[in-house]
Amino acid sequence: MLELLNTSDRLISSVGLSFKRYLFDQINWESRLIEILGSRGVGKTTLMLQKASVLNKKKKNQAVYISLDDILLFKYSITEIAEMMDQNGFEYLFLDEVHKYPSKFKGFDWSAEIKNVYDKFPQLKIVYSGSSILKIYEGDGDLSRRKSTYHLSGLSFRENLALNKVIQVDAIKLDELLNSHDEITKPITQKIKILPLFREYLKTGYFPFYSEDKNAYYSRLNSILNVIIETDIPAIAEISFETSLKIKKLLAAIASTVPYVPNLVQLRAELNIADQRTLMKYLYYLEKSEVISTLNPVAKGNKIMQKPGKILMGNTNYTYSLQMQNEEIGSIRETFFNSQLNQDYSLALPKSGDFLVSDTYIFEIGGKNKTGKQIKNVSNSYIVSDDIENGAFNQVPLWAFGLLY
């Protein structure tokens, strides 16, 4: 057990505190059970270590951080760790990557152990993180009535600018942007050349680890995609190695043609998938893992049963990683817009235009010369233009949607 504590102390004491993600101040850290979900690589571990560091600076030995893929977890259980913490007066237990926890007893997985700890040690606050695909996980322990769930996305364009010490600006709401975009964007564009920075963000700005090794960034993104398909999805969905290969082929087919309007019959034939429901399940796994994002005429409902009207990559960095020099600028623009809004707003395919947002606003995405003829006479409609610093009237700069979180 001492080995786990030493590792915890080392990691907590070494984490930087100069930049914190948007979610840090949104979480109610006083909740007894907190679930933090998000795609691999977006910074869930750093977020938890930062909070543990803040806690331990206020009061020594208040928080412990444990990564549940640590080989020592084959020796110790979550319950044993919690008992040790209770005996030594710790107050916060941070558990990282719960979907990798090696269950100790049949029918008693990580969720059952956390439920047991929650009930047994009422003074202990538990924060755990996991892959975004945990949204579909039905564990042995029912945590739904106990947990507060938060989702961490990749860096917004606003956060990327702050992380790189370019400029600090506050996040805004969509209504604010649409009503006052000129007043919001001009103070920024008067200080910095925003468009080159935006181009760089589209290629390499979504994941916080870019600065660690810029030359290996796309290689690392491809490794992340492999781990998601080969490890994270099977950990939740219990799929075979052969199925993982089919999901990889499916992703390759999508990535080569995004924005992709799927021909399900053709896809099934190419991938040798027997029935449409199975294919839809694979698409569902990729979407829940935030590798792709689907759009339908209606934003609500059970997506596992719906044929998607359009498929986009989950973020623009994935698009560049998988397509390299063959990326299509229209796809990049739509993927960026989708990735910046789909966390807080519902998105759907409208009859006219590219996006229907929150059942209210219609957006047409394009370059600086994009006209509004496709949304002419459509109420609450906006032209979202790339390659412009500032807009006017119902024309809003594309980059400005990166200020929303």
Side-chain angles (χ1 to χ4, degrees), residues 307-348:
K307 174 188 174 182
K310 183 186 287 187
I311 301 176
L312 298 165
M313 294 303 297
N315 62 79
T316 58
N317 290 189
Y318 278 162
T319 306
Y320 278 97
S321 171
L322 293 173
Q323 295 186 4
M324 299 305 288
Q325 301 304 314
N326 300 318
E327 67 279 349
E328 205 275 322
I329 189 60
S331 169
I332 295 292
R333 291 164 177 161
E334 290 186 27
T335 298
F336 167 76
F337 183 90
N338 185 76
S339 70
Q340 303 296 291
L341 276 81
N342 66 4
Q343 174 177 249
D344 294 323
Y345 304 93
S346 65
L347 304 179

Side-chain angles (χ1 to χ4, degrees), residues 127-391:
V127 183
Y128 68 88
S129 79
S131 165
S132 48
I133 200 173
L134 277 182
K135 296 170 189 173
I136 67 172
Y137 184 68
E138 296 180 4
D140 299 316
D142 181 12
L143 302 176
S144 59
R145 292 178 291 106
R146 297 168 174 84
K147 67 184 180 182
S148 299
T149 298
Y150 297 87
H151 179 266
L152 183 65
S153 295
L155 291 172
S156 67
F157 182 41
R158 181 192 70 86
E159 288 186 300
N160 177 269
L161 293 172
L163 176 62
N164 290 304
K165 297 180 172 58
V166 176
I167 192 171
Q168 293 272 357
V169 293
D170 293 332
I172 56 175
K173 298 295 185 182
L174 180 60
D175 288 347
E176 295 178 67
L177 178 62
L178 299 181
N179 293 329
S180 309
H181 57 86
D182 199 36
E183 293 92 331
I184 291 169
T185 60
K186 277 187 176 177
I188 298 173
T189 57
Q190 287 169 356
K191 294 178 181 177
I192 58 175
K193 294 292 184 183
I194 197 71
L195 294 181
L197 294 167
F198 180 55
R199 294 274 162 262
E200 199 61 32
Y201 168 83
L202 294 176
K203 294 177 181 178
T204 58
Y206 190 78
F207 292 93
F209 55 77
Y210 171 65
S211 59
E212 294 174 13
D213 188 347
K214 297 179 181 180
N215 293 328
Y217 182 68
Y218 288 141
S219 175
R220 185 166 175 183
L221 288 191
N222 288 329
S223 295
I224 284 176
L225 289 170
N226 277 323
V227 172
I228 289 172
I229 295 173
E230 293 175 359
T231 304
D232 291 351
I233 294 177
I236 305 304
E238 296 184 356
I239 61 175
S240 66
F241 176 73
E242 181 182 357
T243 298
S244 295
L245 292 179
K246 288 185 178 181
I247 293 176
K248 281 188 181 183
K249 291 178 182 177
L250 174 60
L251 177 59
I254 293 169
S256 63
T257 53
V258 288
Y260 186 79
V261 179
N263 182 327
L264 299 186
V265 174
Q266 182 179 331
L267 266 179
R268 282 172 49 199
E270 288 179 7
L271 302 176
N272 194 27
I273 296 174
D275 60 273
Q276 182 167 313
R277 185 177 179 85
T278 300
L279 175 59
M280 295 299 297
K281 191 182 296 183
Y282 296 168
L283 290 171
Y284 183 68
Y285 293 155
L286 287 173
E287 178 161 37
K288 287 302 180 183
S289 302
E290 301 180 49
V291 175
I292 65 171
S293 183
T294 66
L295 286 171
N296 294 286
V298 180
K300 300 173 184 176
N302 185 1
K303 282 194 172 186
I304 197 170
M305 298 299 294
Q306 295 182 37
K307 174 188 174 182
K310 183 186 287 187
I311 301 176
L312 298 165
M313 294 303 297
N315 62 79
T316 58
N317 290 189
Y318 278 162
T319 306
Y320 278 97
S321 171
L322 293 173
Q323 295 186 4
M324 299 305 288
Q325 301 304 314
N326 300 318
E327 67 279 349
E328 205 275 322
I329 189 60
S331 169
I332 295 292
R333 291 164 177 161
E334 290 186 27
T335 298
F336 167 76
F337 183 90
N338 185 76
S339 70
Q340 303 296 291
L341 276 81
N342 66 4
Q343 174 177 249
D344 294 323
Y345 304 93
S346 65
L347 304 179
L349 282 175
K351 293 180 180 177
S352 300
D354 293 315
F355 290 90
L356 169 63
V357 178
S358 297
D359 296 322
T360 303
Y361 304 110
I362 301 290
F363 295 95
E364 177 74 15
I365 318 292
K368 61 182 178 181
N369 297 320
K370 184 72 176 180
T371 67
K373 65 180 182 179
Q374 290 178 279
I375 53 174
K376 187 178 180 181
N377 300 323
V378 177
S379 61
N380 292 319
S381 62
Y382 296 85
I383 303 166
V384 180
S385 299
D386 196 5
D387 300 316
I388 64 170
E389 290 187 332
N390 306 291

